[in-house]
Amino acid sequence: MTDSKYFTTTKKGEIFELKAELNSDKKEKKKEAVKKVIASMTVGKDVSALFPDVVNCMQTDNLELKKLVYLYLMNYAKSQPDMAIMAVNTFVKDCEDPNPLIRALAVRTMGCIRVDKITEYLCEPLRKCLKDEDPYVRKTAAVCVAKLHDINAQLVEDQGFLDTLKDLISDSNPMVVANAVAALSEIAESHPSSNLLDLNPQSINKLLTALNECTEWGQIFILDCLANYTPKDDREAQSICERVTPRLSHANSAVVLSAVKVLMKFMEMLSKDLDYYGTLLKKLAPPLVTLLSAEPELQYVALRNINLIVQKRPEILKHEMKVFFVKYNDPIYVKLEKLDIMIRLASQANIAQVLAELKEYATEVDVDFVRKAVRAIGRCAIKVEQSAERCVSTLLDLIQTKVNYVVQEAIVVIKDIFRKYPNKYESVIATLCENLDSLDEPEARAAMIWIVGEYAERIDNADELLESFLEGFHDESTQVQLQLLTAIVKLFLKKPTETQELVQQVLSLATQDSDNPDLRDRGYIYWRLLSTDPVAAKEVVLAEKPLISEETDLIEPTLLDELICYIGTLASVYHKPPSAFVEGGRGVVHKSLPPRTASSESTESPETAPAGAPSGEQPDVIPTQGDLLGDLLNLDLGPPVSGPPLATSSVQMGAVDLLGGGLDSLMGDEPEGIGGPNFVAPPAAAVPANLGASMGSGLSDLFDLTSGVGTLSGSYVAPKAVWLPAMKAKGLEISGTFTRQVGSISMDLQLTNKALQVMTDFAIQFNRNSFGLAPAAPLQVHAPLSPNQTVEISLPLNTVGSVMKMEPLNNLQVAVKNNIDVFYFSTLYPLHILFVEDGKMDRQMFLATWKDIPNENEAQFQIRDCPLNAEAVSSRLQSSNIFTVAKRNVEGQDMLYQSLKLTNGIWVLAELRIQPGNPSFMALQLSLKCRAPEVSQHVYQAYETVLKN
């Protein structure tokens, strides 16, 4: 007979009878009674009245009966804490039972009884079990520590269980190691500040040894723990990768994803020139492909993770396009994910088969999938230039099918293709106009209106087409109304005579009859522009648009790096960091990939500035989530800088908006009449006071920020390097370097004209960057640059521009414009140009600050082959504004204590050890401490550059 009999009972006075049976002398009867009690409890009846009787049954050698009693106990201990204390004695006894299964069972149950009163009685038995000779008992006890920590953290710390747990990492049994790691990780996660998992090469070695013999969940715990470790150099990273790689062939997909996470993280530290790097890329592809033969739900999770991996390292799966082709019986959520990855992997080599597939998908029955497929064709055209022609003809074939939603999607993507390849495919506009009447979705209508407005001069009846949209203006969505307003204004500027009435009509509809503020504002701006200065209006509205880039839906790089650290978790499925969806008191630690070069930089970026640091005034900067901009801007540990705070300005000096394109003439002289009677001037506060002054009075006061420190420092200047080769800039070659003298930074440029035409109208602009570097004056090229001529210019820079954290930190993106085109390039500036002249701390402050900065912010570096003595090192560094605060000799080693300060107020403290008179050992040991540890790596590079040149 099965156990179902326990659930069917019709007797009256059930509790009373169960009580009698529980106290029976016969063992079998007792066992039957306990089973009935558990059955009643399972279906939700209250049998808590039997608590003392059931607890009495604990005194038995029968393992099955013990398990049942313990199950009952776990359920009712919370509601009957006073009664539960009765069971403590039995726990203590069971923890010394000769049978290891009973000892483990007792420990497991102890961990599940979440009653404060009892926990302290359980510490002794738990301590014994943590040191038990049987590994099964030890591994159970390890997990019990984590459960106990959740109930009473202070107790666990006072009893020294955490240290015992750390010792278990060196246990001889792999499962004990895995459970100890799991418990420590769990505790560390709820207390991010505690440095519990103090990983070092020795403990990592033990974990890797245990990895091969664990169960699959044990392997996942160990791999997740490895992923939080930052190797000290690329050699250690490689050896860990070699030992983790075999896990890629595991049958459990969770183990595979955890191994992929570890490898993706440590690959950051490997040089791409290594043979091993290539081998690793090849090894990563097959396991990811294998995940796609699982059931659909697992496929979906795998695809979401692959999506992140492909964005970070597309080369891993570039030859595996076929596995992402959609199968007819895939559920829709898998189909859409596969499509996304297909587009990410599309390249010139495989575009033909991708397009053939996409065209096939566009004739499917699933509407959502078809829409996405049509979009995908457009994205391929934008991504792979050689395929644009073929994509456009495919889209035209699809428009000919006259299927409504296909036509609408096709028009939306053709608009983007026009933006990417101007003056190439406009011949298809006629075909698009034939389908005007069938458009009923806002996005498609808006796209069609944009096309009509943008190419009005090529469409004879453009005015009639736009007029037809205007009839139901108030029923349209905002997106369509805004597009229609702009399109009619464009049409008016191109054909002013015949469309005057139309433009009057749309402007009054947008301004007087509409209550949408966006629409009204745009309407008023156009109206004012047209009435005061049609020429300016033309330059604004018909400005040349910047080309759109291929990937508009890529995840932002810092977020992507964080998500790579969460591969195989929910964050990788949501594509959001845990802080976006995990609620509650648990501190979510922001993870990031290790730095590319070998350094012991801390991987976690500090969330906020320390309490003591005054915040500088940075009104224009809105740091992105999880960004360290907060502390990059305003960590000033030293005395406050004298002089007024620097206002940050969104208008760059030499204010030519190259990156936005087309606004240069507006920013120049104000057209007369703009301050007309109806025009309200912007409030004076909008323009920072010192900006106006510095624009007018040249650069004299801009560089008066060094508060009178006028030493002419001969800071090291790197030789000029080619930043923009002529072949990439239609014949303009730009070389340059950065210098700092008497507190002023400049960019020394050399422009060479290798084209056959004269170059004029030069202008320069920087993108937002980590330290707010911006040109302090326009780029002055006084005479036209003739072919084969070279000109040298020193462009003064300041640090009051807009700030945005760059990757790497010292990356600077520059746009240079001339009469031919706008050209973009990026370069890395050496950090020592930002070391200010008042960077010398007094000794007391140095000492206090060094102690105050947490130890995890300290980074260690070696500077090899530097045969200088302490005097020479100190004077050479001082010329680059790295000041020696104190010097002492310890056991024959010279120790220099140094400080420097960056333009944004961040202090960096350094300790430099020099072994004098030993030419064979020429490595200097450098320790850096800073509130923003991200800076350390770049400061170390500055040290190396200055000392070796």
Side-chain angles (χ1 to χ4, degrees), residues 486-498:
T486 304
I488 291 177
V489 171
K490 284 180 184 170
L491 176 67
F492 171 70
L493 289 168
K494 290 175 182 180
K495 306 179 177 176
T497 46
E498 56 248 55

Side-chain angles (χ1 to χ4, degrees), residues 252-254 256-257 286-295 298-299 302 306:
N252 183 329
S253 49
V256 174
L257 280 178
L288 293 172
V289 170
T290 309
L291 291 177
L292 297 181
S293 51
E295 53 268 37
L298 278 180
Q299 277 190 53
I306 288 170

Side-chain angles (χ1 to χ4, degrees), residues 528 531-532 670-681:
R528 209 160 281 157
S531 55
T532 54
E670 266 203 12
E672 291 166 41
I674 262 198
N678 307 335
F679 183 79
V680 184

Side-chain angles (χ1 to χ4, degrees), residues 524-577:
Y524 280 128
I525 285 177
Y526 284 156
W527 202 321
R528 209 160 281 157
L529 267 173
L530 292 171
S531 55
T532 54
D533 189 347
V535 178
K538 213 164 189 164
E539 284 174 353
V540 173
V541 182
L542 302 180
E544 207 170 297
K545 303 193 180 34
L547 299 185
I548 57 173
S549 71
E550 48 182 289
E551 297 289 6
T552 45
D553 60 341
L554 280 179
I555 293 175
E556 192 255 330
T558 42
L559 175 58
L560 180 62
D561 285 355
E562 186 174 350
L563 291 177
I564 292 286
C565 301
Y566 286 110
I567 283 178
T569 66
L570 255 179
S572 67
V573 179
Y574 285 153
H575 287 188
K576 289 178 179 171

Side-chain angles (χ1 to χ4, degrees), residues 19 114 143 228 313 365 388 435 456 505 545 600 648 697 867 923:
K19 201 181 185 87
R114 302 179 60 83
V143 176
N228 292 330
R313 300 198 185 284
V365 286
N435 295 286
Q505 194 183 344
K545 303 193 180 34
S600 57
T648 54
S697 63

Side-chain angles (χ1 to χ4, degrees), residues 134-136 138-139 168-179 210 213-214:
D134 191 284
Y136 181 70
R138 292 201 300 277
K139 89 178 180 77
L168 286 184
I169 288 186
S170 313
D171 198 278
S172 56
N173 183 294
M175 268 322 297
V176 178
V177 175
N179 277 19
E213 294 147 38
C214 279

Side-chain angles (χ1 to χ4, degrees), residues 260-312:
V260 168
K261 165 167 65 183
V262 174
L263 296 172
M264 285 292 289
K265 198 166 172 183
F266 290 174
M267 277 169 84
E268 278 297 299
M269 299 185 68
L270 302 179
S271 155
K272 292 194 174 177
D273 313 334
L274 277 178
D275 293 344
Y276 180 67
Y277 183 85
T279 318
L280 201 51
L281 285 179
K282 289 197 187 89
K283 281 185 180 167
L284 276 169
L288 293 172
V289 170
T290 309
L291 291 177
L292 297 181
S293 51
E295 53 268 37
E297 294 79 7
L298 278 180
Q299 277 190 53
Y300 177 73
V301 172
L303 286 165
R304 293 292 281 174
N305 280 282
I306 288 170
N307 199 328
L308 294 173
I309 293 165
V310 166
Q311 288 187 49
K312 184 73 188 162

Side-chain angles (χ1 to χ4, degrees), residues 40-114:
S40 300
M41 182 178 92
T42 309
V43 294
K45 289 182 185 162
D46 181 17
V47 281
S48 57
L50 297 168
F51 200 95
D53 307 282
V54 178
V55 170
N56 281 339
C57 299
M58 276 171 86
Q59 317 290 344
T60 172
D61 298 333
N62 183 323
L63 189 60
E64 187 183 4
L65 182 53
K66 230 184 211 344
K67 279 187 177 173
L68 290 168
V69 175
Y70 277 172
L71 194 62
Y72 176 89
L73 202 65
M74 283 193 253
N75 199 31
Y76 282 119
K78 193 100 174 138
S79 56
Q80 309 251 356
D82 298 333
M83 302 288 265
I85 292 184
M86 291 164 43
V88 166
N89 256 343
T90 318
F91 279 134
V92 176
K93 233 160 76 193
D94 280 358
C95 284
E96 292 173 5
D97 194 278
N99 181 347
L101 289 176
I102 289 185
R103 297 202 295 274
L105 182 64
V107 171
R108 181 177 291 122
T109 313
M110 278 160 43
C112 295
I113 296 181
R114 302 179 60 83

